[in-house]
Amino acid sequence: MTSFSLGGFTIGGGHPLFLIAGPCVIETREIVFRTADFLKELTSSLNIPLIFKSSYDKANRSSKDSYRGPGLHEGLRILADVKEQFELPVLSDVHRFEEIDAACEVLDVVQVPAFLCRQTDFVIEISRKAATVNIKKGQFMAPWDMENVLDKVTGTGCERVILTERGYTFGYNNLVADMRSLPIMRRTGWPVVFDATHSVQLPGGRGRSSGGDREMAVSLARAAVACGVDGLFMEVHPRPDSALCDGPNSLSIDTLPRLLPILKDIDAVVRRDAT
C-alpha cells in the first residue's frame, strides 16, 4: 500500500485513521478560525491527524443564488492564515483552470471535485502542480472506474494521491453509500477516504438547495472505518442549521468529542486484525 507524509503524519500504508474536516464553505473568518481551533485541540488530544478543509468557492450549487464563498483570493488568504496559526495542512477544491496556480501555492491538498473527476485535461493539470491531490469519485462512477482517473494522475509523475468516496446517485435527489466501493478502491494501493457527510446529502432536495440527513453520517462513518478506510472526510460547523452551504448534511462540532474516540477505537481493532 502506498503511503506518504503530510503535515508531520503519514497517510496510507496501514497507518492510523486521519481526518479531513471543516466547514463546507468559508463564510466568515470567525467561523473558520473557531472551527479550526476546536478541531485542532480535539484531534491533538486524541492523536488523530487532521487536514483542515473549507471551500473558497463552491461552484457547483443548486441555484445561481446559492452562497458560494468569498472567492479565490480572500478565501486563500484565510486558509493560509489557518495553516500558519494552527500549523495544520489545508485542503480546498478547485473548479477552474485559471485558479490552479494560486491554489497550489497555498493548499497542501488540492481537491478535484466529484463532477470534474473525468475531465482529463483538468485532472492532469492539477496533478502536475499540486503537492497532493484528493480526487472525489463522481456520483455517477463505479469504484473500479477510478483506475482510469489514477492513470491520468500518476501519468504526470504525481505520487501523492487520495481517493475519496462521496456516495452514488440513487434515483432523484438521493445518494446511496455502497460500502463495497471502499475495499474495491483500496485495491488500487492508494489511500482511500470516506466522505461521511456528502454521502448523506440530498442533491437539490430542497428545490433551490440541497437537503441532507446528518444523523446518518455518524452511522456511515462507523461503517466506513470498519471497512478499513485510511481517512474520513466530514463537513462540520458550529451551527449547521444556520450554515450557508450544506447545513442539512453537516455535523455540529459538538458531536465530535463523542464520535471521534469511537471511530479511533474501531480503527485500532481493524488495523490490529489486519496484522
Side-chain angles (χ1 to χ4, degrees), residues 220-255:
L220 291 181
R222 292 176 178 176
V225 176
C227 285
V229 292
D230 299 280
L232 282 176
F233 183 114
M234 295 180 178
E235 294 199 324
V236 298
H237 194 282
R239 299 180 300 277
D241 287 334
S242 61
L244 299 181
C245 179
D246 278 8
N249 57 273
S250 294
L251 291 174
S252 170
I253 57 176
D254 294 336
T255 67

Side-chain angles (χ1 to χ4, degrees), residues 190-241:
W190 295 97
V192 171
V193 167
F194 178 67
D195 184 341
T197 48
H198 277 109
S199 292
V200 298
Q201 188 183 57
L202 302 175
R206 293 186 169 184
R208 297 182 65 81
S209 64
S210 294
D213 186 3
R214 71 173 68 102
E215 291 183 4
M216 289 294 104
V218 172
S219 296
L220 291 181
R222 292 176 178 176
V225 176
C227 285
V229 292
D230 299 280
L232 282 176
F233 183 114
M234 295 180 178
E235 294 199 324
V236 298
H237 194 282
R239 299 180 300 277
D241 287 334

Side-chain angles (χ1 to χ4, degrees), residues 38 42 46 252-262:
F38 180 92
L42 176 61
L46 295 171
S252 170
I253 57 176
D254 294 336
T255 67
L256 299 184
R258 292 187 61 188
L259 176 60
L260 291 186
I262 294 172

Side-chain angles (χ1 to χ4, degrees), residues 2-271:
T2 301
S3 64
F4 53 86
S5 60
L6 175 69
F9 59 91
T10 302
I11 288 176
H15 285 80
L17 188 76
F18 71 96
L19 179 66
I20 302 172
C24 171
V25 66
I26 296 170
E27 298 178 16
T28 66
R29 180 178 289 265
E30 186 274 331
I31 289 175
V32 168
F33 272 63
R34 176 182 173 187
T35 307
D37 184 48
F38 180 92
L39 290 172
K40 175 65 182 287
E41 182 175 353
L42 176 61
T43 56
S44 294
S45 69
L46 295 171
N47 198 28
I48 296 175
L50 172 67
I51 301 171
F52 183 82
K53 66 83 51 185
S54 198
S55 297
Y56 59 80
D57 180 16
K58 297 297 290 186
N60 55 336
R61 297 295 84 196
S62 297
S63 167
K64 65 180 179 62
D65 298 321
S66 297
Y67 178 74
R68 291 177 50 165
L72 176 69
H73 299 295
E74 178 60 20
L76 288 179
R77 274 194 291 270
I78 292 172
L79 290 173
D81 290 344
V82 168
K83 182 176 179 177
E84 179 180 3
Q85 178 165 329
F86 297 101
E87 299 182 328
L88 289 172
V90 293
L91 173 154
S92 193
D93 43 339
V94 177
H95 295 257
R96 296 158 60 92
F97 274 95
E98 55 266 39
E99 297 176 355
I100 294 175
D101 287 341
C104 288
E105 290 181 4
V106 173
L107 303 177
D108 300 279
V109 184
V110 176
Q111 182 169 287
V112 177
F115 285 125
L116 296 177
C117 72
R118 281 176 56 96
Q119 298 298 313
T120 300
D121 292 342
F122 187 73
V123 169
I124 288 175
E125 186 70 4
I126 287 178
S127 301
R128 287 179 53 241
K129 296 179 176 180
T132 303
V133 182
N134 180 37
I135 308 168
K136 286 284 192 80
K137 181 179 79 63
Q139 302 92 319
F140 43 85
M141 291 181 64
W144 45 85
D145 291 336
M146 294 303 286
E147 289 274 11
N148 294 324
V149 182
L150 279 168
D151 286 345
K152 299 172 186 179
V153 175
T154 57
T156 68
C158 180
E159 297 181 346
R160 299 165 62 88
V161 188
I162 301 168
L163 301 179
T164 296
E165 168 64 67
R166 53 95 71 236
Y168 191 85
T169 300
F170 187 73
Y172 297 131
N173 306 119
N174 196 20
L175 297 173
V176 64
D178 182 1
M179 293 293 145
R180 295 175 299 178
S181 72
L182 302 174
I184 289 171
M185 288 200 293
R186 292 194 82 238
R187 290 174 195 161
T188 65
W190 295 97
V192 171
V193 167
F194 178 67
D195 184 341
T197 48
H198 277 109
S199 292
V200 298
Q201 188 183 57
L202 302 175
R206 293 186 169 184
R208 297 182 65 81
S209 64
S210 294
D213 186 3
R214 71 173 68 102
E215 291 183 4
M216 289 294 104
V218 172
S219 296
L220 291 181
R222 292 176 178 176
V225 176
C227 285
V229 292
D230 299 280
L232 282 176
F233 183 114
M234 295 180 178
E235 294 199 324
V236 298
H237 194 282
R239 299 180 300 277
D241 287 334
S242 61
L244 299 181
C245 179
D246 278 8
N249 57 273
S250 294
L251 291 174
S252 170
I253 57 176
D254 294 336
T255 67
L256 299 184
R258 292 187 61 188
L259 176 60
L260 291 186
I262 294 172
L263 299 177
K264 184 175 179 179
D265 288 346
I266 296 172
D267 181 65
V269 170
V270 171
R271 299 193 188 284

